[in-house]
Structures are given as C-alpha cells and as structure tokens.
Amino acid sequence: MRVVCAGDEFISARLLADAVVAELDRVGLAAEPLPIDSRWPSEPFEEVDGVREAAGDPGRLAELVAGADALVTHLAPVTKEVITAGRGSLRVVGVTRGGPVNVDLSAATDAGVPVVYLPGRNLGAVAEFTVGTMICAMRGLPAAAAELAGGRWDGTGFRYQRVGLELRAATVGLIGLGAVGLRVAELLAAFGAQVLAHDPFADPAAAARVGARLVELPDLFAASDVVSLHARLTEQTRRIIDAAALAAMRPGALLVNTARGELVDSAALDAALAEGRLRGAVLDVFDPEPPGPDDPLPRRPEVFATPHLAGASRQVAEESAARIAREVATVLTGGVPTHQANPHPNPVANTG
C-alpha cells in the first residue's frame, strides 16, 4: 500500500507514517509511506486553487499521489490537480482536522474517493485552553504580566473595583454545545460555575449530563458573567456577536472566542471595550487571520490575544495521526468510516 503522508511542523510526515504503518500492519496490510512536509506554521497557510487553510506545493503533492493508494494529511492542499493525479489508484484521503477545508470535496466525490476526517479531534486541548484563559482574563493576569514585564509593579490589581470573579461564583454562557462545548461545560462544572448554553441542535440529555441549562440567547446574554463561543460558522452564526448582542450582555462581562473569528463583529467589540461595557475579551481567532496591523483588538490591554493556539497540544498531534490511520485502514479494508465528508456509498476494498 503506497500511502502519501503529507505533514507539517505540527503533525509531521514521520508521525503520520508511523501511525499508518502500525495500523495497516494490524489489519494485515503492508504500507509504503511516501513522506512530504510543509513548513507550516513557520510559513502561514493560505488559499490554494480553491481550497482553504492549506500549506504546501500541490504540484509536488500530485506527483507523489500518482499511483498511491491513500493520502493522509493535516493541511496539505488536496486540490483538483492532486485528486486527478490519483485517478485509478487513490482509494481514500484522510485529513486530521475537524473539517477538511483543504480538500476539494467536489473533485474527490467526482473521482469516487472518500474523504475521512476527525470532528472534535482537538476538543480536549481547546476546552482546557478556554477555561485556562478564561480564568486568566477574569483575574486580569495578562495585563498585569505585561505591566511587570515592562518594569512596572502595579499593586492596584488588589482594588475591589478591579478584582474579578472566581469561577465558582460565575455564570458562564456557552454558545454552541457540540463536542468542545460539552467538554468546556464539564470542566466548568468541576470549578462550581453555573453553566448556561444556547444551541438549537443540542441534545437535552447531553446538556443535563454536563450540568448545562439550555436557554434562549437573550437570556444567556443577560445572565452570563462570561460568554464563550463554541458554535460552527454558518450563515446563521456569522457575527452572532454584533453590536446588539454586546449591548445585551451583562455589564462587565467577558467574551471568549476560541471558535471562529467570523462569529464576532470586530468593530462592534472594539467599541464595546472602548466604552467600558465589557471587562475584556479572550481572542484566539480573528477575521481575517492573521489580524491586520491596524486591528486594534490585539493591542488592547483588556484583550488576551493569542495566535490561534487553542488546539495546539502534543496529544492532538499524536492522537490525530493514530485516529486518521484507523479511518484510512477501515476504508482500505472495505469498512465504513466513522466520519466521511463526501458521499461515497461503496468504499473500495483492497487487501493486496
């Protein structure tokens, strides 16, 4: 089995290859890995030939894919050129991401190639990041650390008017109660926080299991000390946090966004912070990414801004490689994968 392993500096080709070799060996298949790495994140990803958030040379990738049985990758550009190069041999594309935006799904479907992926692959990392940064921002730690690093000892952080809440005294509203939202709710419950959630598609039993009370959006805004975003980006959720939503939030609330930058109207958030209506914001995602040099939000002292790091952990890299190897092996042995992004009712078995 010739398997192209297109990695990067986070999930390397070597990591993918080791996982693929071990998994195919487990099901009785011999793997011949064909490794290639991009320099992401040292070099940014971009839109490439109609696919998004991709890094690497599609021409070089197409050369490797020709004659290959499978392609596994994190964010290599799986363009129409790459899919076309694999016609007649390529049986599956595996993507170690929650959404395969770096794959031309139309081209893959036309070629009869299933695209498997990993929803919720980084839920643990994102949930821990969300709660950790939430605590830091509520207590004013990023600004205090910046002051001290600049040589200024600011002891006024002990003034009652400046101190923040502990989580056990806070009401946290989650917008989106999918895999990440549910894990965040579990962690918050352990701290003793009251958790509200808004998600039209939420499973009431799952919400009850993690101690989250489902409410309408206006009620969430009015009652929450912290509003944390975990919704998928759709036309319905785009800029769900606009000027009206910010005005409806409890005065002094904290906004946390580790989901998508497009969920927030950046100009409206900047205005709300400038007017002092919010205590602050945690922003790990932006619109666009990276934010432009004239974007005021990352420079605000009340904003804890990070460069899209919520899902970065060693566990995410290692476990994603192992999981996608299992999905690819399932398809190659005629099974039905757990998560497939395009319709392909008859996976091609290959046991040779």
Side-chain angles (χ1 to χ4, degrees), residues 5 12 18-19 67 109-110 128 139 167 169 205 226 232 247-248 282 293 332 334:
C5 299
S12 68
D18 288 349
T109 302
D110 289 345
E128 289 188 11
R139 303 287 293 277
L167 278 179
V226 182
R232 286 191 176 277
V282 174
L332 292 175

Side-chain angles (χ1 to χ4, degrees), residues 287-308:
D287 178 24
E289 286 191 2
D294 58 343
D295 188 335
L297 288 172
R299 298 193 299 273
R300 283 197 167 277
E302 63 269 55
V303 172
F304 190 175
T306 51
H308 207 145

Side-chain angles (χ1 to χ4, degrees), residues 66 86 183 186:
R183 181 59 180 153
E186 286 181 324

Side-chain angles (χ1 to χ4, degrees), residues 9 46 62-63 70 78 93-94 128 153 178 214 258 268 276 334 346:
E9 294 174 352
E46 57 188 347
E63 292 175 3
V78 188
V93 172
E128 289 188 11
W153 180 277
L214 294 173
T258 57
N346 298 305

Side-chain angles (χ1 to χ4, degrees), residues 199-251:
D199 187 333
F201 307 103
D203 177 358
R209 176 178 58 79
V210 297
R213 180 162 64 90
L214 294 173
V215 297
E216 295 301 317
L217 203 52
D219 298 325
L220 183 146
F221 288 144
S224 297
D225 300 296
V226 182
V227 174
S228 188
L229 305 181
H230 305 285
R232 286 191 176 277
L233 179 63
T234 67
E235 286 309 308
Q236 290 70 40
T237 62
R238 186 180 298 275
R239 296 197 173 182
I240 193 171
I241 303 299
D242 57 10
L246 290 162
M249 288 184 193
R250 177 178 286 186

Side-chain angles (χ1 to χ4, degrees), residues 33-340:
L34 304 174
I36 181 174
D37 276 314
S38 76
R39 296 199 63 242
W40 183 87
S42 293
E43 295 177 356
F45 57 53
E46 57 188 347
E47 183 170 329
V48 181
D49 296 341
V51 301
R52 298 189 294 114
E53 298 181 11
D57 179 0
R60 175 60 180 142
L61 188 62
E63 292 175 3
L64 288 176
V65 166
D69 298 279
L71 164 62
V72 294
T73 187
H74 179 210
L75 40 68
V78 188
T79 63
K80 183 176 181 179
E81 175 190 7
V82 172
I83 297 294
T84 299
R87 277 190 178 271
S89 66
L90 192 62
R91 292 167 168 80
V92 60
V93 172
V95 182
T96 61
R97 303 179 72 175
V101 296
N102 55 311
V103 179
D104 188 327
L105 290 179
S106 177
T109 302
D110 289 345
V113 178
V115 177
V116 296
Y117 67 115
L118 303 177
R121 58 113 184 204
N122 58 7
L123 70 90
V126 174
E128 289 188 11
F129 180 98
T130 297
V131 175
T133 54
M134 188 183 295
I135 293 170
C136 288
M138 289 174 71
R139 303 287 293 277
L141 302 187
E147 286 286 305
L148 191 56
R152 296 175 295 277
W153 180 277
D154 182 8
T156 64
F158 246 99
R159 287 178 178 168
Y160 181 81
Q161 292 82 359
R162 289 186 58 183
V163 296
L165 295 174
E166 297 177 33
L167 278 179
R168 64 188 175 93
T171 298
V172 181
L174 307 179
I175 299 178
L177 202 63
V180 174
L182 287 168
R183 181 59 180 153
V184 170
E186 286 181 324
L187 296 179
L188 290 170
F191 280 93
Q194 180 179 350
V195 181
L196 307 178
H198 174 77
D199 187 333
F201 307 103
D203 177 358
R209 176 178 58 79
V210 297
R213 180 162 64 90
L214 294 173
V215 297
E216 295 301 317
L217 203 52
D219 298 325
L220 183 146
F221 288 144
S224 297
D225 300 296
V226 182
V227 174
S228 188
L229 305 181
H230 305 285
R232 286 191 176 277
L233 179 63
T234 67
E235 286 309 308
Q236 290 70 40
T237 62
R238 186 180 298 275
R239 296 197 173 182
I240 193 171
I241 303 299
D242 57 10
L246 290 162
M249 288 184 193
R250 177 178 286 186
L254 174 74
L255 177 68
V256 180
N257 187 11
T258 57
R260 289 288 179 180
E262 296 91 335
L263 298 175
V264 177
D265 182 330
S266 299
L269 175 59
D270 183 57
L273 291 167
E275 295 166 10
R277 286 189 278 122
L278 297 186
R279 177 177 182 82
V282 174
L283 302 177
D284 186 53
V285 288
F286 297 86
D287 178 24
E289 286 191 2
D294 58 343
D295 188 335
L297 288 172
R299 298 193 299 273
R300 283 197 167 277
E302 63 269 55
V303 172
F304 190 175
T306 51
H308 207 145
L309 293 177
S313 76
R314 290 191 176 184
Q315 284 67 39
V316 170
E318 295 165 0
E319 293 169 7
S320 294
R323 286 178 59 196
I324 206 63
R326 288 195 295 271
E327 292 289 281
V328 166
T330 295
V331 175
L332 292 175
T333 54
V336 178
T338 307
H339 299 288
Q340 186 167 314

